[in-house]
Amino acid sequence: MTKIVAVEVHDVRFPTSLSLDGSDAMNKDGDYSAAYVILRTDDVDGLRGHGFTFTIGRGNDICVLAAQRRAEPLVGRDLAEVTGDLGGIYRELGADSQLRWLGPEKGVEHLAMAAVMNAVWDLAAREAGVPLWQLLVGMSPAELVDVADLRYLSDVLTRDEALELLQEMAPGKASRLAELRATGYPCYTTSAGWLGYSDDKLRRLCSEAVEAGYGHVKLKVGASLEDDVRRLRIAREVLGPDRHLMIDANQVWDVPQAIEWVQALAGFRPLWIEEPTSPDDVLGHAAIRRAVAPIGVATGEHGMNRVLFKQLFQAGAIDFCQLDAARLASVNEVVAVYLMAKKFGVPVCPHAGGVGLCELVQHLSVFDYVAVSGSLEQRVTEYVDHLHEHFTDPCIVRDGHYLLPARPGYSAELKPDSVLEYSFPHGTYWSKGFPA
Amino acid sequence: MTKIVAVEVHDVRFPTSLSLDGSDAMNKDGDYSAAYVILRTDDVDGLRGHGFTFTIGRGNDICVLAAQRRAEPLVGRDLAEVTGDLGGIYRELGADSQLRWLGPEKGVEHLAMAAVMNAVWDLAAREAGVPLWQLLVGMSPAELVDVADLRYLSDVLTRDEALELLQEMAPGKASRLAELRATGYPCYTTSAGWLGYSDDKLRRLCSEAVEAGYGHVKLKVGASLEDDVRRLRIAREVLGPDRHLMIDANQVWDVPQAIEWVQALAGFRPLWIEEPTSPDDVLGHAAIRRAVAPIGVATGEHGMNRVLFKQLFQAGAIDFCQLDAARLASVNEVVAVYLMAKKFGVPVCPHAGGVGLCELVQHLSVFDYVAVSGSLEQRVTEYVDHLHEHFTDPCIVRDGHYLLPARPGYSAELKPDSVLEYSFPHGTYWSKGFPA
């Protein structure tokens, strides 16, 4: 009998603020970071689970502490009991009413829950010897509905409806999977358009994106309208009329300002405006969407939990759902959001980038196409080309498509050397006194 | 020139789980706790500021760490600069984009912001030598609008509208204040109805509430419909037909279940159903409200920020707004919610109880009546009779009314002996090995 014998949580921070990678109108100088969980077992072959949540620097230590507290009940547990009831362990960890008070189901506590449960799912997939997407695709509709967190959702999706949705998609799973094996899953790049980049760098990166086969490029906007007009003109020029251009304001506007600003950029025909205002403002997003159509509204990277997504769907507030694999409470909550998105006919285009988010979402997108939505229409998953070198099983992108991950697990394992180097504040990088 | 020279944050936990005080359908065994902030100055007379957020036990340490991090920029500051621009310091502390990522404006980070800014407001009121309510009542409309956090609210309340609302209330301030000095501010008691109490204890406590002059009594519901029917029958019997009975489900239901359960209790004519479902579910509360009228819907103690309250108002989702003084980011955000409530005509009945929440909200209710709403209709502030003995300036309730606090500050100071005894885990109480 294999047991979980220890939980380690590491505060790993990469000094991305030095190069302004990741700079936008709200977040000018993030140090991309992970509160990184390792679940150790007494398995003789060294079976472990790895998971994380993503932060942008200060406060990563707070998530580390929260993940340590949240993971405590896992220590000493029989592995088969945990991985054999992935809905049960999720509900057990989430049911601590004292910790629940600190949210509920939002903020630091929910990020920590994501980190811990991501490690549990990685462990389950490794134990099964398959990539996470394959574990999910192989589950029956009843098994999937058991792991999905449907609490507070029954006014839009009952358990029976969820079962029915999944059962209807059973035919064609094999052919959709074969299709993805051949082509990969479509993605877009945000690497071109960070706000801190010069016009020349923007032009060069847009050209490189076109050459690399991307049909979609995203730019950050919202700091200066004049700059945005100039930068969008450059991007549209390089992309030509047919490729898609998306814009992302990272929550800097109030609702009336968002409408005005986006209308001023409409001539560049953006596919979507992302995070135009507070991520909590369901009714605000709905108002913006009505005002800026046919430009779409996208949000979700700060979508705090499934109850928020339920309302975004109910209110007709978004055209694109950008769930985040390290902010929602792992696969249990992510599956629930995919099921609701299917019912409401909203395409899910997961948020990625950061540290390791691309590694996670590639699994989710495969699962969505094969088992839930069965559609690639208007679906494109984010890809940002940095920090992949720190992962033992980095994602691979070719011609604007994620190739299917092949190794067991959730692709969430950081290289031990990277953890040693970038642990904050005592790793070899930070202890040299580089600026935080 | 006086400076802020140090920030202390204490993890103070009271063993309330031993007596089931505070037990409800969601929170069965809370240990009422405070992440307690002291801002020390170099003032020769020992001027300090005190503030806290409230939690129910585990995780209080996480809030302590978050408050320490959030308060760091205050150390070394000129006191006059901080208390002379209470809007500016709020925006400065809130603008840390790396910490913002962990919310934004919700969960642990927002609780920590509440704790820190509550201490700043306590310090400002003490420096001015007046109770907090008097500091607020004495501010001009322009000063109040400057401290209020109106970000993300301009689609329902512009700065100019806020100014106008406040200016319209200037006449009559003196007479409203005189009225409160004579009568106090009306409150209701929750002490009678915790879920863990026996029928006999419930009956006795309801009788005592009637004798003590309360016109409103609140009971916890939601664990068992059969029990609820029996307990509400007892309460209604003791209260008679004319006093108000409120019920509180603490988020245990999905939307359809909430509607069904409340309709089954309608015969006992509750004034409101409190927290029928997820506190994040604006549209769910609106649906429940439509279905259970004329029973009112109340929520807010887990209302994470002003953007949520904006939507509760916009959607017509609530009859009573129960903002929380230690979950919203202190007076800056609380004032914004009061202004919106005024515009939408929704009475604010603040959540209290816990540790020291009664001490805080008495100030806010006075401010609301004198300077914002000018009305007592349908307004009644929560009161729970425990843990007041740990405060240096405890609230005083007579005949179902809070008497106006008279001492300088926000009544947020814990007795030093209580901090020593109940600090977790090394205070004299906990180090004896009592159960956590």
Side-chain angles (χ1 to χ4, degrees), chain A residues 61 69 152 251 281 310, chain B residues 61 69 152 251 281 310:
Chain A
D61 51 339
R69 295 278 181 272
Y152 294 135
Q251 315 169 18
D281 197 347
K310 177 180 79 166
Chain B
D61 52 338
R69 295 279 181 271
Y152 295 134
Q251 314 169 20
D281 197 348
K310 178 180 79 166

Side-chain angles (χ1 to χ4, degrees), chain A residues 29 58 61 69 96 98 100-101 106 151-152 154 251-252 254 280-282 305 310-311 327, chain B residues 29 58 61 69 96 98 100-101 106 152 154 251-252 254 280-282 305 310-311 327:
Chain A
D29 57 352
R58 283 184 295 283
D61 51 339
R69 295 278 181 272
D96 183 318
Q98 296 189 5
R100 188 180 184 279
W101 187 269
K106 59 180 68 70
R151 188 172 196 185
Y152 294 135
S154 63
Q251 315 169 18
V252 291
D254 273 35
D280 309 330
D281 197 347
V282 171
N305 59 35
K310 177 180 79 166
Q311 295 176 85
R327 191 172 289 274
Chain B
D29 58 351
R58 282 184 295 282
D61 52 338
R69 295 279 181 271
D96 183 317
Q98 296 189 5
R100 189 182 182 279
W101 187 268
K106 59 180 65 72
Y152 295 134
S154 63
Q251 314 169 20
V252 291
D254 273 33
D280 308 330
D281 197 348
V282 172
N305 60 34
K310 178 180 79 166
Q311 295 177 85
R327 190 172 290 275

